[in-house]
């Protein structure tokens, strides 16, 4: 909103992982305890499990991202289908919020451009022209460090933002009014 990240009332805005979606994989249980979450079928961990449950590879996600880099068709198909699932959720957000930018982050998206491309194709094919006219769907510029950098910035803004500094520097009464302003009104 106005060039700033929209975080919502409790900081959870934009987290689409637990949107309940219809999909072709049945009632896959998510780590949050619910079934049908986008995360349970389209996250990096879910894709890694779907890619090769029998490989014995300790790091299934690494096996998937390596396969993406080698352009293996099974990995590309899985990521393409996940991109469409994610894209369907993003369409709803784009239609409702009309953002300027959507960032698709994570190890799978960082390994190749196939996930972002699939999301972008789905959204631009099915969302209204007006909603996508100025929309950019891209990977994070900082790659896998984007989440860490974002957390640092959010922490700094929380501690040093205007509201936090105002609360720290200007005492308030029990009614939430600035004591300084109240004292000036009484003395005036």
């Amino acid at each position: 909103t106005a060039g700033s990240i929209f975080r919502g009332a409790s900081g959870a805005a934009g987290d689409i992982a637990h949107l309940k979606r219809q999909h072709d994989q049945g009632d896959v249980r998510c780590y949050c305890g619910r079934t049908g979450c986008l995360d349970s079928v389209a996250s990096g961990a879910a894709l890694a499990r779907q890619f090769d449950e029998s490989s014995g590879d300790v790091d299934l996600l690494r096996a998937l991202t390596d396969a993406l880099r080698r352009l293996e068709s099974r990995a590309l198909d899985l990521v393409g289908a996940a991109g469409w699932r994610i894209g369907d959720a993003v369409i709803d957000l784009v239609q409702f919020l009309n953002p300027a930018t959507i960032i698709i982050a994570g190890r799978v998206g960082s390994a190749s451009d196939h996930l972002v491309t699939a999301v972008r194709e789905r959204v631009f094919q099915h969302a209204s022209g007006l909603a996508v006219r100025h929309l950019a769907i891209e990977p994070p510029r900082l790659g896998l460090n984007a989440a860490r950098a974002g957390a640092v910035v959010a922490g700094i803004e929380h501690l040093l933002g205007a509201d936090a500094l105002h609360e720290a520097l200007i005492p308030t009464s029990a009614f939430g009014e600035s004591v300084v302003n109240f004292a000036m009104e009484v003395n005036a």
Side-chain angles (χ1 to χ4, degrees):
T1 55
S4 298
I5 295 173
F6 178 69
R7 291 184 171 81
S10 60
D15 181 359
I16 64 172
H18 299 288
L19 290 178
K20 193 168 178 88
R21 308 302 296 183
Q22 294 294 328
H23 51 79
D24 57 355
Q25 295 187 8
D27 289 331
V28 179
R29 181 154 310 275
C30 181
Y31 69 87
C32 74
R34 295 179 17 186
T35 59
C37 292
L38 186 60
D39 193 87
S40 67
V41 295
S43 68
L47 292 175
R49 283 191 304 274
Q50 295 167 42
F51 177 66
D52 194 358
E53 293 177 319
S54 63
S55 74
D57 193 334
V58 175
D59 190 350
L60 292 176
L61 191 51
R62 179 172 305 197
L64 173 64
T65 57
D66 289 347
L68 282 171
R69 288 185 188 101
R70 291 188 303 269
L71 302 176
E72 290 182 20
S73 62
R74 184 160 170 7
L76 294 172
D77 291 346
L78 276 171
V79 169
W84 279 37
R85 288 184 187 111
I86 295 167
D88 285 341
V90 169
I91 289 167
D92 294 342
L93 297 174
V94 166
Q95 292 296 138
F96 185 71
L97 299 172
N98 190 224
T101 307
I102 299 283
I103 304 295
I104 307 295
R107 283 177 61 186
V108 174
S110 295
S112 79
D113 62 348
H114 289 88
L115 181 67
V116 174
T117 299
V119 171
R120 192 181 293 131
E121 286 175 358
R122 188 70 167 188
V123 171
F124 281 91
Q125 286 173 0
H126 296 284
S128 76
L130 183 60
V132 297
R133 181 177 295 156
H134 302 289
L135 177 65
I137 300 175
E138 18 184 88
R141 291 185 184 122
L142 297 176
L144 292 175
N145 292 319
R148 289 183 193 98
V152 168
V153 169
I156 290 169
E157 287 177 350
H158 176 74
L159 292 173
L160 299 176
D163 291 340
L165 289 176
H166 185 269
E167 286 179 31
L169 298 175
I170 300 179
T172 56
S173 71
F175 302 105
E177 299 169 330
S178 171
V179 173
V180 174
N181 291 341
F182 181 72
M184 286 192 289
E185 289 176 11
V186 169
N187 293 331

